Amino acid sequence: MMRTFTISLCVAFAWSASLAAAEELTDVSAGEGSGDIAGAGQPQEIDELQAGECLQCHLTTEDGVGELWRDDVHARWGITCVTCHGGDETQPDKELSKRPGTGYRGALTALEDVELCGGCHGDVEYMKERKPLLPVDQLQKYWTSEHGKLLNKGETRVATCVSCHHAHGIREINDAKSPVYAVNVPATCAGCHADADYMSDFDIKTDQYAEYVESVHGKALLEKNDVRGAPACNDCHGNHGAAPPSVDAITNICGACHSYNADLFLGSPLAPAFKERSLADCVACHGKHEITHTSEEWVGAKPGSTCGKCHEQGDEGAELALYFVDSMSSVRQSFDEIHELLTEAETKGMDVTEAEDYVEAARQGLMQARTLVHSFSKPVMEEKLVEISENQAAALEAGYAALRGLEDRRRGLLVSTVLLLVLTIFVALKIRSLPPTS
Amino acid sequence: MLDRRRILNWLLGGSAFAWAGSVLHPVIRFLMPPPEQEAAVSAVKATTLTEMTPNSGKIFKFGRKPALIVRRSDGTFTAFMAKCTHLDCIVQYREDKERIWCACHDGFYDLNGTNVSGPPPRPLDALEVHMQGDDVYVTRKS
Amino acid sequence: MSTSPENPDRAILAWAKDRYPIAKFAEWAEHKTVPVGPNAFWYYFGGITLFLFLIQVGTGIMLMFYYKGSADTAFASVRFISAKVPFGWLIRSVHAWSANLMIFFAFIHMFSVFFMRAYRKPRELTWLSGIVMLALLLGFGFSGYLLPWNELAFFATKVGTDIIGVIPLIGEPLMYVLRGGEEVTGSTLPRFFALHVALFPALLTIFIVAHLFFIQLQGIHEPDEWQEQPEKRKTMPFFPHFFMRELLLWLVVLNILAVLAVFFPAELGVEADPFSPAPAGIKPEWYFLATFEFLKYMPAHVGPIEGEQFGLLLISIGFVAWCLVPWIDRGRNRTVTTIVMAAGVTILVFLSIMTYLGHSV
């Protein structure tokens, strides 16, 4: 039902407002050359913007709409002001161009906006001719989002297409100036979601952005600019279908990147236990927007620790947690000890690169061990810890060998010096025994 | 008198000999080639034809750094430095997908080392593979 | 041939005497003498410098057994020498320390010759060849410093070759040739390596031979007052008296090298990365510090020429004057001699202060 409506809407626009464009479209698909105006195939030069007479006035208006339009991706594809706003673009006169009968409708309402954009972007045939790689399911997804559901109920303060993409001056999503470019997404969402006044009528918190900015993900994206790796809001919530994920979906969402952790967890005895208690897997321990680096203090059965939320001291889980904490902290201590030893050897001029290779291997091992926590299995962890301690032992051994080498050097020097001293004495005696000089 | 001089000469010669030994010892030891593989690698024997079956991977040490050699399903070899370009985890070969995989954030590389999905920002650093009889040697990309 | 099984030494000697003018050589050696007196101590320093050069040749050849002179492998091969080759650290550290000591003793030798006025006729060419050798030693130091291909050396070489580029006319092309391009890159390394192990050793050997040949022909310079008061003249035979003493010093110097190598082994630092920014505290080796510091004090412009060029001009004038000292002070005019000696003291003090400033800043 909805689909038919949007397609017909789109077709209506194509015929009425951009008649020539639609004609060109059929021409091109029929294999003939392109005409003089806006075709489906060729993007337009910016200077030849097809905006009719509208820009005569709107280029200089305060809202800067005409100026923004210059950078809009749609402007290159023969879409003009009247495509969305209606009116008669051939009239340079304000009154005449907006006179009744021209279909002029001014600024779009929230619903109009969604349906208008979705009209073309949901039209497979239309998009295939222009941007074949772009998905066409945005509108479909939108109606499944919280935003869309509320809009359907008549709430107009929700996000529509233009809330995130802007109305004029729409850029491609990989354009760093776009409000939906990965690093800009959190701020774009926060525009509404961090505004307590704006959100006051909706039953939702407004501290997500503040928490996200301080999280590992926020730091990776906003400080380290890791646009390919670090998730923005949309990577967990969806973009056009934005909605809070259900408890059951959490592991799948986190597991999209942390797949190994997710696999380990789902195979662990904790997975069914969490399900029974309706705990949101990853989120139950790590939190949501505020996810920080894990520390060993988390693990353990003490009150205040993460495990301590469910486990009591003395039960099986607490025992395991204790084992994790103890073994991890002893691994850490060994690293400190190794570091001290190698620094000493290095400052004394010994080469410890080989020892550092072992340290590096052990560090990789520790990183893996922290992941293996999610198996919640002692034997699995034990195996990894043995590997780590072997590498650490090798590093220590190499460090001590370096220090022993230093002693060897000094001993060798001593031997050589003593021998030299003896030789010196005899040379001196020999010199004294030479006949006196004249 | 003559005896004393002779004794002195003998002592002198003897101690010179002993001392020269303490100098020559390090020199001779230096000139003997050390048994260990050179750290300044330009070529490393990574594996042999018999050791690796088609569609398998193996981590080996290229100099001081871990590297990954993969035997493709068609029997040919390809090798890369094994550090993921995202956050330095060690990548591994996934037989089931015939892809190189980083477990840390589910990054995938194809067998040309190109990052194809997940966080990795750029391809793996490629190495060059040379066959010598049954042995598979890996060198830095020239 | 008079061979006797009881006395193989003599047999070989007799064999040689049969073929070569050994007797003549022995007679010459017997008559070779070295002056004795309060200044005699300074006569040993030339020999010590020579000894250190021999050590450099020996350890240098040994290092070449393992060193790989290309930008990809140089650093790793030096690390291999330091870490994996038995006594590699020792050979490398001795090579590095001996280089420094050699230049140090060459300076002492030069200034002692200067203050004893031993450069005067007929030893002008000995003086000149000595200066050329000192310049070669500095070239050895400069080229050898880059070879481990670590960060400090890389940037020091950049700065050093920049200074060469300041020289008018020939500076730019000379820098271009030295660097093997516009910048210090991987192509610079093989060039410095070639200079360090082929050209400089060949040239230095020629000059050492000439230097020693002049000394053998003319004998060692004797104190001026002996000409006026011949009764004060006192000498010792070169063989074995002087030779044994010199030998003793060589042994002590070698042991000092070993002590330095054990307690202050040569460092390796971080591998050079041509694209990384220069780290703080880039300093040349101590023997270039004075020049480096002096150029730093130059104003941006002096009249029509650049400050650095002006500084180099001053240094060049000083260098030429230093070379011409035998012709400036011929010992005929007391005032000239006093002025030259005073200038020598000034230069020595100036170099010391500049080196100290360059080191401590």
Side-chain angles (χ1 to χ4, degrees):
Chain A
M1 177 66 195
M2 183 59 70
R3 202 176 153 72
T4 340
F5 171 71
T6 50
I7 288 173
S8 60
L9 188 89
C10 174
V11 170
F13 269 107
W15 284 108
S16 68
S18 196
L19 201 71
E23 271 175 357
E24 276 309 313
L25 181 58
T26 38
D27 277 349
V28 169
S29 46
E32 301 205 45
S34 59
D36 51 345
I37 22 172
Q42 279 77 37
Q44 295 287 303
E45 285 294 320
I46 304 236
D47 289 343
E48 298 166 18
L49 278 181
Q50 297 298 305
E53 301 291 340
C54 307
L55 289 187
Q56 295 288 354
C57 297
H58 282 282
L59 207 51
T60 52
T61 46
E62 264 178 50
D63 54 10
V65 164
E67 206 47 56
L68 284 170
W69 184 244
R70 285 181 180 280
D71 293 330
D72 196 296
V73 285
H74 300 94
R76 305 178 183 206
W77 294 93
I79 291 163
T80 66
C81 311
V82 297
T83 314
C84 301
H85 295 288
D88 182 355
E89 62 183 352
T90 60
Q91 295 295 337
D93 181 75
K94 186 176 174 183
E95 303 300 327
L96 284 176
S97 62
K98 299 179 178 178
R99 70 183 188 279
T102 57
Y104 176 74
R105 53 168 159 177
L108 274 62
T109 66
L111 190 63
E112 280 176 336
D113 161 33
V114 170
E115 287 174 341
L116 185 83
C117 298
C120 293
H121 279 277
D123 181 344
V124 180
E125 292 295 329
Y126 181 83
M127 292 308 292
K128 197 159 67 181
E129 294 288 339
R130 288 161 174 80
K131 279 273 177 189
L133 292 180
L134 214 61
V136 290
D137 58 355
Q138 297 95 335
L139 186 62
Q140 238 176 322
K141 281 183 170 168
Y142 181 75
W143 293 122
T144 71
S145 74
E146 285 300 307
H147 299 136
K149 283 178 187 164
L150 284 172
L151 180 62
N152 226 354
K153 288 179 194 159
E155 172 59 62
T156 56
R157 287 174 292 170
V158 297
T160 64
C161 315
V162 298
S163 316
C164 303
H165 292 279
H166 291 172
H168 308 99
I170 297 174
R171 292 163 182 272
E172 297 199 6
I173 55 164
N174 52 12
D175 182 330
K177 283 184 175 171
S178 163
V180 289
Y181 179 65
V183 290
N184 302 330
V185 165
T188 299
C189 297
C192 296
H193 280 275
D195 185 338
D197 285 341
Y198 193 84
M199 301 304 290
S200 58
D201 288 344
F202 306 96
D203 185 23
I204 185 171
K205 297 206 287 184
T206 51
D207 56 359
Q208 305 94 333
Y209 180 69
E211 287 185 344
Y212 172 80
V213 170
E214 293 300 317
S215 73
V216 273
H217 294 141
K219 288 203 165 127
L221 181 64
L222 303 176
E223 287 173 20
K224 293 182 195 153
N225 236 322
D226 185 1
V227 284
R228 287 182 67 107
C233 317
N234 61 319
D235 288 299
C236 299
H237 292 280
N239 20 33
H240 300 105
S246 72
V247 168
D248 289 340
I250 295 287
T251 329
N252 297 335
I253 289 167
C254 300
C257 294
H258 301 276
S259 59
Y260 191 42
N261 306 45
D263 285 348
L264 286 171
F265 178 80
L266 291 177
S268 79
L270 255 65
F274 272 41
K275 209 173 180 69
E276 216 170 275
R277 293 169 177 77
S278 313
L279 288 172
D281 295 358
C282 318
V283 170
C285 300
H286 294 273
K288 298 183 281 231
H289 304 107
E290 73 277 22
I291 295 174
T292 53
H293 266 293
T294 49
S295 78
E296 270 124 48
E297 280 126 50
W298 278 36
V299 191
K302 289 197 203 91
S305 70
T306 310
C307 307
K309 286 179 190 170
C310 296
H311 290 282
E312 279 173 23
Q313 260 164 356
D315 72 11
E316 197 188 344
E319 292 285 316
L320 184 64
L322 216 60
Y323 167 71
F324 284 164
V325 177
D326 288 348
S327 49
M328 291 276 189
S329 73
S330 84
V331 163
R332 233 168 244 297
Q333 268 176 6
S334 308
F335 273 121
D336 293 343
E337 189 189 335
I338 294 168
H339 179 74
E340 217 167 283
L341 176 70
L342 296 190
T343 314
E344 186 193 343
E346 199 161 31
T347 47
K348 285 180 177 164
M350 303 304 291
D351 181 279
V352 290
T353 44
E354 197 179 345
E356 274 160 1
D357 289 349
Y358 288 117
V359 174
E360 177 60 25
R363 281 204 191 287
Q364 284 276 348
L366 178 62
M367 209 152 77
Q368 289 158 4
R370 287 164 64 98
T371 296
L372 287 176
V373 165
H374 298 96
S375 69
F376 300 104
S377 148
K378 196 169 174 179
V380 171
M381 184 58 100
E382 265 171 346
E383 197 184 323
K384 184 51 75 181
L385 287 171
V386 166
E387 184 199 308
I388 296 172
S389 60
E390 275 170 3
N391 276 316
Q392 288 187 325
L396 273 177
E397 176 47 38
Y400 284 122
L403 284 185
R404 279 199 302 276
L406 193 70
E407 279 166 28
D408 287 347
R409 286 182 186 186
R410 293 184 176 172
R411 212 170 295 130
L413 179 67
L414 187 71
V415 170
S416 170
T417 308
V418 167
L419 289 174
L420 179 92
L421 202 67
V422 173
L423 178 61
T424 310
I425 291 166
F426 289 130
V427 172
L429 285 174
K430 178 79 186 171
I431 289 171
R432 290 189 75 182
S433 76
L434 291 174
T437 56
S438 59
Chain B
M1 187 66 204
L2 195 77
D3 266 354
R4 239 181 87 183
R5 177 184 281 184
R6 195 179 241 172
I7 289 165
L8 183 60
N9 277 347
W10 269 107
L11 286 172
L12 189 65
S15 59
F17 204 74
W19 175 78
S22 80
V23 173
L24 280 178
H25 169 70
V27 171
I28 290 166
R29 288 286 309 280
F30 179 90
L31 295 180
M32 302 289 276
E36 226 170 310
Q37 252 274 328
E38 278 195 51
V41 282
S42 44
V44 163
K45 187 180 144 189
T47 182
T48 59
L49 272 177
T50 41
E51 187 193 6
M52 281 179 77
T53 57
N55 191 22
S56 67
K58 180 195 166 195
I59 295 280
F60 66 99
K61 266 196 143 189
F62 188 76
R64 300 181 56 208
K65 292 177 181 148
L68 172 72
I69 186 160
V70 172
R71 191 165 188 195
R72 297 194 188 92
S73 295
D74 64 3
T76 57
F77 286 91
T78 179
F80 307 94
M81 296 312 292
K83 277 214 168 168
C84 179
T85 53
H86 182 224
L87 290 175
D88 289 351
C89 295
I90 307 285
V91 298
Q92 53 187 290
Y93 181 63
R94 282 274 294 261
E95 289 92 354
D96 55 340
K97 294 188 195 260
E98 301 199 7
R99 289 268 150 107
I100 296 164
W101 179 53
C102 178
C104 288
H105 296 100
D106 215 25
F108 278 95
Y109 302 86
D110 68 13
L111 294 189
N112 296 320
T114 310
N115 44 326
V116 287
S117 84
R122 57 180 181 81
L124 291 171
D125 297 324
L127 298 168
E128 229 164 73
V129 177
H130 304 271
M131 307 295 298
Q132 211 171 80
D134 205 31
D135 297 333
V136 185
Y137 283 88
V138 170
T139 61
R140 228 169 266 286
K141 199 111 194 159
S142 47
Chain C
M1 206 190 287
S2 56
T3 46
S4 102
E6 300 97 316
N7 231 334
D9 284 10
R10 305 229 166 206
I12 292 167
L13 194 66
W15 183 89
K17 271 184 180 166
D18 240 15
R19 288 160 180 80
Y20 304 102
I22 302 287
K24 259 186 170 171
F25 179 77
E27 197 192 304
W28 166 83
E30 225 166 89
H31 287 101
K32 188 176 159 53
T33 57
V34 179
V36 176
N39 289 333
F41 174 65
W42 302 105
Y43 293 126
Y44 294 101
F45 286 94
I48 291 175
T49 313
L50 175 66
F51 173 65
L52 288 168
F53 174 68
L54 296 179
I55 288 181
Q56 288 306 78
V57 172
T59 52
I61 290 173
M62 286 164 77
L63 289 173
M64 277 177 74
F65 274 41
Y66 295 103
Y67 178 71
K68 293 176 177 171
S70 103
D72 316 336
T73 50
F75 183 84
S77 72
V78 175
R79 187 168 58 202
F80 181 69
I81 291 171
S82 301
K84 288 279 147 54
V85 180
F87 294 101
W89 59 274
L90 179 68
I91 304 300
R92 177 167 173 249
S93 301
V94 165
H95 193 74
W97 273 113
S98 172
N100 283 295
L101 290 189
M102 176 164 61
I103 290 172
F104 179 69
F105 284 122
F107 268 109
I108 292 184
H109 180 52
M110 179 176 76
F111 276 103
S112 66
V113 165
F114 177 84
F115 289 118
M116 289 192 275
R117 293 177 287 279
Y119 49 77
R120 282 181 188 163
K121 184 186 167 188
R123 298 187 176 80
E124 295 97 327
L125 288 184
T126 321
W127 172 255
L128 275 184
S129 61
I131 290 180
V132 171
M133 283 196 288
L134 181 63
L136 278 173
L137 291 192
L138 296 179
F140 264 113
F142 187 64
S143 56
Y145 193 51
L146 180 69
L147 299 187
W149 199 244
N150 58 23
E151 202 176 46
L152 276 180
F154 178 83
F155 285 102
T157 304
K158 219 169 176 166
V159 176
T161 43
D162 267 341
I163 291 174
I164 296 173
V166 173
I167 303 169
L169 286 178
I170 58 157
E172 292 266 341
L174 187 63
M175 182 175 81
Y176 194 75
V177 170
L178 266 181
R179 287 180 169 181
E182 292 288 345
E183 284 297 327
V184 177
T185 60
S187 359
T188 315
L189 187 64
R191 287 168 185 251
F192 274 46
F193 188 41
L195 293 180
H196 191 80
V197 303
L199 181 66
F200 290 160
L203 288 178
L204 191 62
T205 308
I206 293 171
F207 277 94
I208 287 175
V209 169
H211 200 73
L212 293 178
F213 183 64
F214 294 147
I215 295 167
Q216 296 321 316
L217 279 185
Q218 298 166 337
I220 291 174
H221 168 261
E222 295 179 354
D224 293 344
E225 63 259 31
W226 287 5
Q227 284 173 357
E228 290 140 32
Q229 300 156 285
E231 69 279 5
K232 276 194 172 178
R233 192 167 187 275
K234 199 174 172 223
T235 62
M236 68 164 104
F238 187 85
F239 286 110
H241 292 70
F242 186 80
F243 182 76
M244 290 295 267
R245 285 174 170 82
E246 180 83 57
L247 198 66
L248 196 61
L249 273 178
W250 287 12
L251 297 179
V252 171
V253 166
L254 188 57
N255 212 54
I256 289 173
L257 279 178
V259 170
L260 288 172
V262 168
F263 288 96
F264 309 98
E267 285 175 6
L268 186 53
V270 208
E271 182 163 12
D273 173 6
F275 301 108
S276 72
I282 291 293
K283 259 183 215 170
E285 292 270 68
W286 63 269
Y287 36 85
F288 291 122
L289 271 179
T291 314
F292 187 64
E293 193 63 17
F294 177 67
L295 289 178
K296 271 209 298 202
Y297 286 108
M298 286 295 118
H301 285 280
V302 179
I305 49 175
E306 273 179 46
E308 267 200 344
Q309 282 186 340
F310 180 73
L312 282 181
L313 185 69
L314 286 185
I315 293 171
S316 309
I317 291 171
F319 180 76
V320 172
W322 193 249
C323 292
L324 294 180
V325 157
W327 288 276
I328 297 169
D329 168 36
R330 300 181 196 216
R332 292 178 198 155
N333 188 325
R334 264 186 190 283
T335 340
V336 173
T337 305
T338 316
I339 291 171
V340 168
M341 287 302 114
V345 172
T346 315
I347 288 173
L348 190 57
V349 170
F350 179 76
L351 285 181
S352 310
I353 291 175
M354 279 299 166
T355 307
Y356 173 75
L357 286 177
H359 179 73
S360 56
V361 172

